[in-house]
């Protein structure tokens, strides 16, 4: 083996971690700068998913409230009268109404 081959072999053994660093840096660059697999983009999507999940939960809660209110109105006429008087600011002749703001 020639002297140049020995030098190259010695240099390659000392710098053998270089390909690992290059491949690692490429993977990191792909994770942070690629538009489709960007870490920042994934975090943004995760926040949006959480926000929309909370919105869906709120909508389901309000839908359940209005369903219960509708059922109460359909089955009990007292609730219907109470709701109409409350919503349209009506009163019976024998009652006093106080509006608090």
């Amino acid at each position: 083996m020639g002297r140049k081959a020995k030098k190259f072999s010695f240099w390659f053994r000392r710098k053998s971690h270089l390909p690992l660093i290059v491949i690692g840096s490429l993977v990191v660059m792909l994770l942070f700068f690629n538009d489709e697999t960007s870490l920042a983009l994934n975090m943004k999507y995760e926040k949006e998913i959480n926000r929309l999940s909370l919105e869906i939960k709120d909508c389901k809660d309000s839908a359940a409230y209005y369903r219960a209110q509708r059922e109460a109105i359909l089955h009990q006429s007292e609730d219907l009268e109470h709701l109409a008087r409350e919503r349209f600011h009506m009163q019976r002749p024998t009652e006093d109404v106080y509006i608090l703001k």
Side-chain angles (χ1 to χ4, degrees):
M1 211 153 124
R3 186 172 182 176
K4 287 186 179 184
K6 284 184 181 180
K7 276 188 174 182
F8 179 74
S9 175
F10 180 71
W11 178 84
F12 187 74
R13 278 185 281 152
R14 286 188 71 204
K15 305 292 184 186
S16 63
H17 61 281
L18 190 64
L20 182 63
I21 291 174
V22 170
I23 291 172
S25 62
L26 285 174
V27 168
V28 168
M29 287 176 54
L30 282 175
L31 284 176
F32 285 105
F33 300 116
N34 188 8
D35 287 339
E36 294 175 4
T37 60
S38 167
L39 191 62
L41 193 60
N42 284 335
M43 289 172 48
K44 177 183 165 190
Y45 287 154
E46 190 66 33
K47 284 182 184 178
E48 187 173 351
I49 287 170
N50 290 337
R51 183 185 60 81
L52 291 173
S53 297
L54 289 174
E55 188 176 331
I56 287 171
K57 182 182 175 195
D58 290 342
C59 288
K60 284 183 180 179
D61 290 345
S62 65
Y65 168 77
Y66 286 119
R67 264 191 223 103
Q69 191 174 18
R70 186 190 70 165
E71 289 297 320
I73 289 171
L74 289 176
H75 297 297
Q76 298 171 352
S77 63
E78 296 168 359
D79 289 338
L80 178 62
E81 180 184 344
H82 175 73
L83 183 67
R85 286 189 295 129
E86 187 177 284
R87 180 138 320 148
F88 298 113
H89 306 291
M90 301 173 120
Q91 66 183 17
R92 291 183 179 159
T94 59
E95 71 181 3
D96 294 329
V97 176
Y98 299 101
I99 299 175
L100 303 174
K101 291 186 179 183

